[in-house]
Amino acid sequence: MSDSRPLPRIGRHQLPNRVVLAPMAGVTDRPFRTLCRRLGAGLVVGEMVTSDPGLWHTRKSRLRMDHRGEPGPRSVQIAGGDAQMLAEAARLNAEMGAEIIDINMGCPAKKVCNKAAGSALLRDETLVAEILAAVVDAVDVPVTLKIRTGWCADSNNGVRVARIAEEAGIQALAVHGRHRQQRYGGEAEYDTIAAIKAAVGIPVFANGDIDSPAKAARVLDYTGADAVMVGRAAQGNPWIFREIDHYLRHGQRLAAPGDGERAEVLRDHLAALHGFYGEHLGVRIARKHLGWYLAGDGRFDYAGRRALRATFNGLESRHAQRRFIDELFRHDPAATPGRIARAVAPDGICAA
């Protein structure tokens, strides 16, 4: 049965559906955000950007902050542990076109937590309140927050942090159903998300292990959340957004994309990566994406996928990568790894 509740709103921005792309460092760049939006994501959030403007001169930071040509609302995630620095970062990003500022208090990475940022902030609720108030006061655009359920199993303070966030003026809250010490291990739990949704009046997005349309529907029903936020399950499977949206609206599974559409999406994605990063870096970044696409390609067994990845990872030009995709979707999948290796051999490949 379809969800008859009003669709979530973030400030003046009405979302078109209940499926959101989670921010992922090294993944949710402009090419991937554009692709996921095209395939049904109702909101996409950019890669985490440091709150220290002194580090924005690096190429990585400049690329992460590049939202040129993207339709709104453009959501930029910032991370740090100093309230005034985060407020200034929010203000500068808003001046550069960010229409939503998202604050990261969910990242479990050591290099982030060791700087008292990300999910490490959940240990200090006073600092959480100070940061949220400072950022909300600094900008005229809506501010959202991404958290985990707490720092550890003995400090599951997600409900208290959610109430602090609502009081500070946060417009929507995404909750990953794991505490920080779990990182991405074990299974996500949704009891805390349900408790948070019951405790606050702002939109709540349920995150963690949302990997199918049926799972999305179960989590929304169980938690009462306003939307699901999809992260790792979108890697190599950007079609998951339209599939979840269709299932939530109609209660029926949408047919999987055919080989023709898969080929078109891979070609478009690779071309966007090459155009955005330049050929040298784009070719290298494309390798991880192709690995994710292959992981979900049921035409090949493990050995076949491994051989294909090895061949693709040895390619050094965008033309060779494009030829690889063309060959990947020819007939007779069983013969594909060897045929591709022969087809791209003139471009130079690593040994499979």
Side-chain angles (χ1 to χ4, degrees):
M1 184 177 295
S2 63
D3 192 330
S4 60
R5 296 176 298 165
L7 290 169
R9 176 181 292 275
I10 301 176
R12 64 181 180 85
H13 305 293
Q14 176 80 60
L15 302 193
N17 61 35
R18 302 186 188 278
V19 199
V20 178
L21 171 65
M24 293 178 283
V27 181
T28 53
D29 53 18
R30 194 177 78 191
F32 192 66
R33 293 194 304 270
T34 300
L35 176 60
C36 290
R37 193 188 292 270
R38 164 183 151 191
L39 291 173
L43 176 70
V44 298
V45 185
E47 299 176 84
M48 178 177 64
V49 176
T50 176
S51 62
D52 185 354
L55 301 177
W56 291 357
H57 66 280
T58 66
R59 185 182 186 189
K60 179 186 288 187
S61 291
R62 291 198 305 271
L63 289 171
R64 287 187 173 187
M65 297 167 69
D66 188 341
H67 290 253
R68 287 176 295 176
E70 287 189 70
R74 293 179 294 277
S75 179
V76 174
Q77 187 182 74
I78 57 176
D82 180 85
Q84 293 309 311
M85 187 174 287
L86 280 160
E88 179 65 5
R91 187 184 64 78
L92 292 172
N93 273 283
E95 287 182 354
M96 290 186 289
E99 295 172 287
I100 297 173
I101 298 294
D102 186 61
I103 303 173
N104 183 313
M105 294 190 184
C107 180
K110 284 185 178 180
K111 65 180 181 180
V112 175
C113 290
N114 286 346
K115 297 181 180 179
S119 55
L121 293 168
L122 300 176
R123 294 179 293 183
D124 188 340
E125 293 176 19
T126 300
L127 179 57
V128 167
E130 181 184 349
I131 287 172
L132 299 183
V135 174
V136 169
D137 288 345
V139 294
D140 293 327
V141 300
V143 180
T144 60
L145 175 65
K146 176 92 186 291
I147 66 170
R148 287 190 164 225
T149 58
W151 174 256
C152 63
D154 296 328
S155 178
N156 216 40
N157 61 339
V159 172
R160 292 199 301 274
V161 170
R163 286 177 172 145
I164 292 170
E166 183 174 37
E167 185 175 346
I170 293 298
Q171 298 290 297
L173 179 66
V175 187
H176 186 121
R178 289 179 172 89
H179 53 72
R180 186 269 169 179
Q181 290 189 353
Q182 287 179 277
R183 298 181 183 272
Y184 297 99
E187 295 183 356
E189 59 93 0
Y190 306 110
D191 289 334
T192 302
I193 299 177
I196 287 172
K197 177 56 187 173
V200 298
I202 57 177
V204 173
F205 303 156
N207 178 224
D209 297 348
I210 311 294
D211 57 6
S212 72
K215 180 69 173 289
R218 289 198 301 272
V219 170
L220 286 177
D221 182 63
Y222 186 80
T223 63
D226 301 275
V228 291
M229 177 174 272
V230 179
R232 289 173 292 165
Q235 296 172 357
N237 184 26
W239 299 274
I240 194 171
F241 296 99
R242 75 178 185 195
E243 291 170 356
I244 290 176
D245 182 37
H246 183 86
Y247 191 86
L248 295 179
R249 291 180 187 273
H250 305 291
Q252 298 176 337
R253 293 190 66 91
L254 193 65
D259 287 350
E261 183 184 3
R262 289 177 61 83
E264 178 187 4
V265 166
L266 263 69
R267 291 188 192 103
D268 290 350
H269 192 179
L270 262 62
L273 290 170
H274 299 149
F276 185 67
Y277 290 103
E279 182 168 10
H280 178 76
L281 186 56
V283 161
R284 281 147 184 79
I285 291 175
R287 292 169 181 167
K288 64 184 175 186
H289 286 281
L290 189 280
W292 290 328
Y293 282 113
L294 283 176
D297 195 328
R299 297 177 302 155
F300 308 108
D301 59 14
Y302 174 79
R305 289 192 293 269
R306 183 177 180 181
L308 288 166
R309 283 196 303 271
T311 297
F312 191 83
N313 288 348
L315 301 177
E316 295 289 344
S317 75
R318 59 186 176 89
H319 299 293
Q321 289 188 340
R322 173 62 183 259
R323 188 176 303 116
F324 179 101
I325 300 303
D326 291 341
E327 292 291 334
L328 185 66
F329 289 94
R330 293 188 188 276
H331 297 297
D332 190 12
T336 297
R339 188 186 69 247
I340 289 181
R342 292 190 296 273
V344 299
D347 297 287
I349 61 171
C350 297

